[in-house]
Short mmCIF file of all heavy atoms in Angstrom, two decimals:
data_model
loop_
_atom_site.label_atom_id
_atom_site.label_comp_id
_atom_site.label_asym_id
_atom_site.label_seq_id
_atom_site.Cartn_x
_atom_site.Cartn_y
_atom_site.Cartn_z
N THR A 137 25.90 -5.98 -0.91
CA THR A 137 26.46 -6.64 0.27
C THR A 137 25.59 -7.78 0.78
O THR A 137 26.07 -8.65 1.51
CB THR A 137 26.66 -5.60 1.40
OG1 THR A 137 25.43 -4.88 1.63
CG2 THR A 137 27.74 -4.61 1.03
N ILE A 138 24.30 -7.78 0.42
CA ILE A 138 23.43 -8.89 0.84
C ILE A 138 23.76 -10.15 0.04
O ILE A 138 23.65 -11.27 0.57
CB ILE A 138 21.95 -8.50 0.66
CG1 ILE A 138 21.52 -7.52 1.75
CG2 ILE A 138 21.04 -9.74 0.74
CD1 ILE A 138 20.12 -6.98 1.56
N LEU A 139 24.19 -10.01 -1.21
CA LEU A 139 24.45 -11.18 -2.04
C LEU A 139 25.44 -12.15 -1.41
O LEU A 139 25.16 -13.35 -1.32
CB LEU A 139 24.91 -10.77 -3.44
CG LEU A 139 25.23 -11.94 -4.38
CD1 LEU A 139 24.01 -12.82 -4.60
CD2 LEU A 139 25.78 -11.44 -5.71
N PRO A 140 26.64 -11.69 -0.96
CA PRO A 140 27.56 -12.67 -0.33
C PRO A 140 26.96 -13.32 0.91
O PRO A 140 27.22 -14.50 1.17
CB PRO A 140 28.79 -11.82 0.02
CG PRO A 140 28.34 -10.41 -0.04
CD PRO A 140 27.25 -10.36 -1.06
N PHE A 141 26.14 -12.58 1.66
CA PHE A 141 25.48 -13.16 2.82
C PHE A 141 24.52 -14.27 2.40
O PHE A 141 24.49 -15.35 3.00
CB PHE A 141 24.72 -12.07 3.57
CG PHE A 141 23.67 -12.60 4.51
CD1 PHE A 141 24.02 -13.12 5.75
CD2 PHE A 141 22.33 -12.60 4.17
CE1 PHE A 141 23.06 -13.63 6.62
CE2 PHE A 141 21.36 -13.09 5.02
CZ PHE A 141 21.73 -13.60 6.25
N GLU A 142 23.72 -14.02 1.36
CA GLU A 142 22.75 -15.02 0.91
C GLU A 142 23.45 -16.24 0.33
O GLU A 142 22.99 -17.37 0.52
CB GLU A 142 21.81 -14.41 -0.14
CG GLU A 142 20.94 -13.26 0.36
CD GLU A 142 19.92 -13.70 1.39
OE1 GLU A 142 19.66 -14.91 1.52
OE2 GLU A 142 19.35 -12.83 2.07
N LEU A 143 24.55 -16.04 -0.38
CA LEU A 143 25.31 -17.17 -0.92
C LEU A 143 25.86 -18.04 0.21
O LEU A 143 25.84 -19.27 0.13
CB LEU A 143 26.45 -16.66 -1.80
CG LEU A 143 26.06 -16.06 -3.15
CD1 LEU A 143 27.28 -15.42 -3.82
CD2 LEU A 143 25.46 -17.13 -4.06
N THR A 144 26.36 -17.38 1.26
CA THR A 144 26.87 -18.12 2.41
C THR A 144 25.75 -18.86 3.12
O THR A 144 25.90 -20.03 3.52
CB THR A 144 27.57 -17.16 3.39
OG1 THR A 144 28.61 -16.46 2.71
CG2 THR A 144 28.15 -17.91 4.57
N ALA A 145 24.60 -18.18 3.29
CA ALA A 145 23.45 -18.81 3.95
C ALA A 145 22.99 -20.04 3.18
O ALA A 145 22.71 -21.09 3.77
CB ALA A 145 22.31 -17.80 4.07
N ALA A 146 22.92 -19.92 1.84
CA ALA A 146 22.50 -21.06 1.02
C ALA A 146 23.48 -22.22 1.16
O ALA A 146 23.09 -23.39 1.20
CB ALA A 146 22.39 -20.62 -0.44
N SER A 147 24.77 -21.89 1.25
CA SER A 147 25.79 -22.93 1.36
C SER A 147 25.73 -23.63 2.71
O SER A 147 25.93 -24.84 2.82
CB SER A 147 27.19 -22.32 1.15
OG SER A 147 27.27 -21.69 -0.12
N ILE A 148 25.43 -22.86 3.77
CA ILE A 148 25.35 -23.46 5.11
C ILE A 148 24.15 -24.39 5.23
O ILE A 148 24.18 -25.36 5.99
CB ILE A 148 25.32 -22.34 6.17
CG1 ILE A 148 26.70 -21.65 6.24
CG2 ILE A 148 24.95 -22.88 7.55
CD1 ILE A 148 26.77 -20.50 7.21
N THR A 149 23.09 -24.11 4.48
CA THR A 149 21.93 -25.01 4.54
C THR A 149 22.30 -26.42 4.09
O THR A 149 21.70 -27.40 4.54
CB THR A 149 20.78 -24.50 3.64
OG1 THR A 149 21.21 -24.43 2.28
CG2 THR A 149 20.28 -23.14 4.08
N ILE A 150 23.29 -26.51 3.22
CA ILE A 150 23.72 -27.83 2.75
C ILE A 150 24.32 -28.66 3.88
O ILE A 150 24.29 -29.89 3.85
CB ILE A 150 24.74 -27.68 1.59
CG1 ILE A 150 24.18 -26.79 0.47
CG2 ILE A 150 25.12 -29.05 1.02
CD1 ILE A 150 22.92 -27.33 -0.16
N GLN A 151 24.87 -27.97 4.90
CA GLN A 151 25.47 -28.69 6.03
C GLN A 151 24.43 -29.45 6.85
O GLN A 151 24.79 -30.26 7.69
CB GLN A 151 26.22 -27.70 6.92
CG GLN A 151 27.46 -27.12 6.28
CD GLN A 151 28.26 -26.24 7.22
OE1 GLN A 151 27.75 -25.80 8.26
NE2 GLN A 151 29.50 -25.98 6.87
N PHE A 152 23.17 -29.18 6.60
CA PHE A 152 22.12 -29.95 7.25
C PHE A 152 22.22 -31.42 6.84
O PHE A 152 21.85 -32.31 7.61
CB PHE A 152 20.75 -29.38 6.85
CG PHE A 152 19.59 -29.96 7.61
CD1 PHE A 152 19.21 -29.43 8.83
CD2 PHE A 152 18.88 -31.04 7.10
CE1 PHE A 152 18.13 -29.96 9.54
CE2 PHE A 152 17.80 -31.58 7.79
CZ PHE A 152 17.43 -31.03 9.01
N TRP A 153 22.73 -31.65 5.60
CA TRP A 153 22.87 -33.03 5.09
C TRP A 153 24.33 -33.47 5.02
O TRP A 153 24.65 -34.60 5.34
CB TRP A 153 22.27 -33.14 3.69
CG TRP A 153 20.83 -32.75 3.59
CD1 TRP A 153 19.74 -33.45 4.05
CD2 TRP A 153 20.31 -31.54 3.02
NE1 TRP A 153 18.59 -32.77 3.78
CE2 TRP A 153 18.89 -31.60 3.15
CE3 TRP A 153 20.87 -30.43 2.42
CZ2 TRP A 153 18.06 -30.58 2.70
CZ3 TRP A 153 20.05 -29.41 1.96
CH2 TRP A 153 18.66 -29.50 2.11
N ARG A 154 25.21 -32.53 4.57
CA ARG A 154 26.61 -32.88 4.35
C ARG A 154 27.51 -31.87 5.06
O ARG A 154 27.46 -30.67 4.78
CB ARG A 154 26.93 -32.87 2.85
CG ARG A 154 26.16 -33.89 2.03
CD ARG A 154 26.70 -35.29 2.26
NE ARG A 154 28.08 -35.45 1.88
CZ ARG A 154 28.50 -35.80 0.66
NH1 ARG A 154 27.62 -36.04 -0.30
NH2 ARG A 154 29.79 -35.94 0.40
N THR A 155 28.35 -32.37 5.95
CA THR A 155 29.31 -31.49 6.63
C THR A 155 30.73 -31.75 6.17
O THR A 155 31.66 -31.08 6.62
CB THR A 155 29.23 -31.70 8.15
OG1 THR A 155 29.50 -33.09 8.45
CG2 THR A 155 27.87 -31.31 8.69
N ASP A 156 30.88 -32.72 5.27
CA ASP A 156 32.22 -33.10 4.83
C ASP A 156 32.69 -32.31 3.62
O ASP A 156 33.84 -32.45 3.18
CB ASP A 156 32.27 -34.60 4.51
CG ASP A 156 31.24 -35.00 3.46
OD1 ASP A 156 30.16 -34.37 3.43
OD2 ASP A 156 31.52 -35.92 2.67
N ILE A 157 31.81 -31.48 3.04
CA ILE A 157 32.18 -30.68 1.87
C ILE A 157 32.34 -29.23 2.30
O ILE A 157 31.46 -28.66 2.96
CB ILE A 157 31.12 -30.79 0.76
CG1 ILE A 157 30.96 -32.25 0.33
CG2 ILE A 157 31.49 -29.92 -0.43
CD1 ILE A 157 29.89 -32.46 -0.72
N ASN A 158 33.46 -28.63 1.92
CA ASN A 158 33.75 -27.24 2.29
C ASN A 158 32.68 -26.29 1.78
O ASN A 158 32.18 -26.44 0.65
CB ASN A 158 35.12 -26.83 1.73
CG ASN A 158 35.59 -25.51 2.29
OD1 ASN A 158 35.15 -24.46 1.87
ND2 ASN A 158 36.49 -25.59 3.26
N VAL A 159 32.29 -25.31 2.62
CA VAL A 159 31.26 -24.34 2.25
C VAL A 159 31.63 -23.58 0.97
O VAL A 159 30.78 -23.24 0.16
CB VAL A 159 31.03 -23.33 3.41
CG1 VAL A 159 30.13 -22.18 2.97
CG2 VAL A 159 30.42 -24.04 4.60
N GLY A 160 32.93 -23.34 0.77
CA GLY A 160 33.39 -22.62 -0.40
C GLY A 160 33.00 -23.29 -1.71
O GLY A 160 32.78 -22.62 -2.73
N VAL A 161 32.89 -24.62 -1.69
CA VAL A 161 32.49 -25.36 -2.90
C VAL A 161 31.06 -24.97 -3.28
O VAL A 161 30.77 -24.70 -4.46
CB VAL A 161 32.59 -26.88 -2.66
CG1 VAL A 161 32.01 -27.64 -3.86
CG2 VAL A 161 34.03 -27.28 -2.39
N TRP A 162 30.17 -24.93 -2.30
CA TRP A 162 28.78 -24.61 -2.58
C TRP A 162 28.60 -23.14 -2.95
O TRP A 162 27.75 -22.80 -3.78
CB TRP A 162 27.89 -24.96 -1.38
CG TRP A 162 27.90 -26.42 -1.08
CD1 TRP A 162 28.44 -27.05 -0.01
CD2 TRP A 162 27.35 -27.45 -1.92
NE1 TRP A 162 28.26 -28.41 -0.11
CE2 TRP A 162 27.58 -28.69 -1.27
CE3 TRP A 162 26.67 -27.46 -3.14
CZ2 TRP A 162 27.18 -29.91 -1.80
CZ3 TRP A 162 26.26 -28.67 -3.68
CH2 TRP A 162 26.51 -29.87 -3.01
N ILE A 163 29.42 -22.27 -2.35
CA ILE A 163 29.38 -20.85 -2.74
C ILE A 163 29.69 -20.72 -4.22
O ILE A 163 29.03 -19.97 -4.95
CB ILE A 163 30.37 -20.03 -1.88
CG1 ILE A 163 29.87 -19.96 -0.44
CG2 ILE A 163 30.55 -18.63 -2.46
CD1 ILE A 163 30.87 -19.30 0.52
N THR A 164 30.71 -21.45 -4.66
CA THR A 164 31.09 -21.42 -6.08
C THR A 164 29.96 -21.92 -6.96
O THR A 164 29.64 -21.31 -8.00
CB THR A 164 32.35 -22.27 -6.31
OG1 THR A 164 33.40 -21.83 -5.46
CG2 THR A 164 32.80 -22.20 -7.76
N VAL A 165 29.33 -23.02 -6.55
CA VAL A 165 28.23 -23.59 -7.34
C VAL A 165 27.08 -22.60 -7.47
O VAL A 165 26.58 -22.34 -8.58
CB VAL A 165 27.73 -24.90 -6.69
CG1 VAL A 165 26.44 -25.37 -7.37
CG2 VAL A 165 28.79 -25.98 -6.77
N PHE A 166 26.67 -21.99 -6.35
CA PHE A 166 25.53 -21.07 -6.39
C PHE A 166 25.86 -19.79 -7.16
O PHE A 166 25.00 -19.23 -7.84
CB PHE A 166 25.09 -20.73 -4.96
CG PHE A 166 24.49 -21.89 -4.23
CD1 PHE A 166 24.84 -22.17 -2.91
CD2 PHE A 166 23.57 -22.73 -4.86
CE1 PHE A 166 24.29 -23.26 -2.23
CE2 PHE A 166 23.01 -23.82 -4.18
CZ PHE A 166 23.37 -24.08 -2.88
#
Side-chain angles (χ1 to χ4, degrees):
T137 53
I138 286 174
L139 179 61
F141 162 78
E142 297 293 345
L143 288 172
T144 303
S147 302
I148 290 178
T149 61
I150 306 299
Q151 292 185 343
F152 188 86
W153 303 287
R154 298 286 299 271
T155 58
D156 57 328
I157 300 177
N158 191 281
V159 171
V161 174
W162 297 111
I163 291 174
T164 304
V165 170
F166 292 135

